[in-house]
Amino acid sequence: MEKYDFYRTDLLDESEEMVRHRTANEKNRLQESDGVLFGEKRLGRVIVTSVKVDAQGEEKIGKKQGTYITLTVPALTADDREGLADMARVLIEKLDEILVDITTLKTGKILLIGLGNRDITPDAVGPLTMDRLRDIVPGYYSEEGSKVFVYAPGVTIQTGLETADFVKALVTEIKPDLLIVIDALAARDSSRLCRTIQLTDTGIHPGSGVGNSRKEISKEVLGIPVIAIGIPTVVDGPVLIADAINSMFGYIASKIEEKDSPSSRLSVTPWLHTENKDADRANLLPIFGDWATWPHEDRIQLFEEVLTNHELRTFVSPKEIDSWVALYAETLADSLTNWISTIKNRH
């Protein structure tokens, strides 16, 4: 099958080059490759994936030069405040690491921007975070002016103005030392929805993950450091189809391997089972043909190709998206409030 770049994702570690390097041996090869420095570790419940891309790596994998840090808690649920707190703690640690060379933050100006459409829940995490951050502005305001600025510019369809132009006008007027942008992202893996935070110093292209890329917001464009914090809240519809089929194949392959097992015969119902992720998919060949053994990514590509121009093409979010967005807005606002306080009171 010929390869096309159909994958809609804002997460670097879901880009095609990263997906190819998910096995241990391939990750080791990536770690040793020129232009891309890859690392992965676990901090408590949080899986931290760090990717540093230089100019050579940018040409190699097609992702902008800079640092990308992805934090994931795989079993996170909408009522797991402890898990969210763990992610927030690691986020602030990594934010400090990325900004370690910026020495003007204690006395300088910080501009926080929440991108997105507050009227569309999956896209509202940025504006809702700004709503909660507004309360801190008076504490950093004096006769000389403010040291902290908070704004949610909306989206082009609401204002008639390109979001990047809006942000550029604010930067020109305020002249901040740092811009932090918060936005909702698109994922290509449904298991990542609302369980991941991406932090990067490369800026952001609003709307790029859903095929509606707008002007770039970055250091190159604005002339100041730009940090982007993103939460994946939507996934492309064809990805869900591929995920469902993959689960079905895993279930059937497991049942075939279990058919002669005594424990299987004791099951109350044939539908109760524990899926064996290592079940041999070759057993499915007589039923489904070669398609059953395709890599999961190839099946996603097939559905993307078939449905690319389909008028009913959709992006999907979790059913608890209201709770997720509210929790992330609260968590990010609290974390950034504490971080700014620490920065401004640092001796």
Side-chain angles (χ1 to χ4, degrees), residues 90-153:
V90 177
L91 172 68
I92 296 306
E93 290 177 5
K94 297 303 176 182
L95 182 61
D96 277 332
E97 290 179 14
I98 288 181
L99 298 174
V100 68
D101 294 329
I102 302 178
T103 59
T104 59
L105 293 181
K106 177 177 172 59
T107 58
K109 300 175 182 177
I110 299 174
L111 172 60
L112 299 112
I113 295 289
L115 299 181
N117 187 340
R118 66 172 62 249
D119 296 329
I120 299 176
T121 303
D123 198 31
V125 65
L128 293 183
T129 303
M130 296 304 108
D131 289 348
R132 289 162 172 78
L133 281 169
R134 286 184 186 136
D135 292 339
I136 73 172
V137 174
Y140 299 98
Y141 188 84
S142 66
E143 292 181 359
E144 290 77 26
S146 185
K147 295 297 182 183
V148 175
F149 302 81
V150 172
Y151 197 69

Side-chain angles (χ1 to χ4, degrees), residues 136-198:
I136 73 172
V137 174
Y140 299 98
Y141 188 84
S142 66
E143 292 181 359
E144 290 77 26
S146 185
K147 295 297 182 183
V148 175
F149 302 81
V150 172
Y151 197 69
V155 293
T156 303
I157 196 65
Q158 295 172 318
T159 65
L161 186 68
E162 280 282 352
T163 301
D165 293 337
F166 220 139
V167 174
K168 186 174 182 179
L170 288 172
V171 169
T172 300
E173 177 65 25
I174 296 170
K175 298 180 175 56
D177 296 82
L178 172 68
L179 170 62
I180 297 179
V181 180
I182 297 174
D183 197 11
L185 306 180
R188 69 186 288 183
D189 182 343
S190 58
S191 68
R192 305 293 291 275
L193 287 177
C194 301
R195 296 186 175 96
T196 296
I197 299 176
Q198 179 171 269

Side-chain angles (χ1 to χ4, degrees), residues 17-18 21 26-33 36 38:
E17 182 67 20
M18 297 298 110
H21 294 86
E26 289 170 336
K27 282 179 180 177
N28 289 335
R29 283 204 299 272
L30 183 61
Q31 287 173 330
E32 298 168 359
S33 66
V36 180
F38 176 90

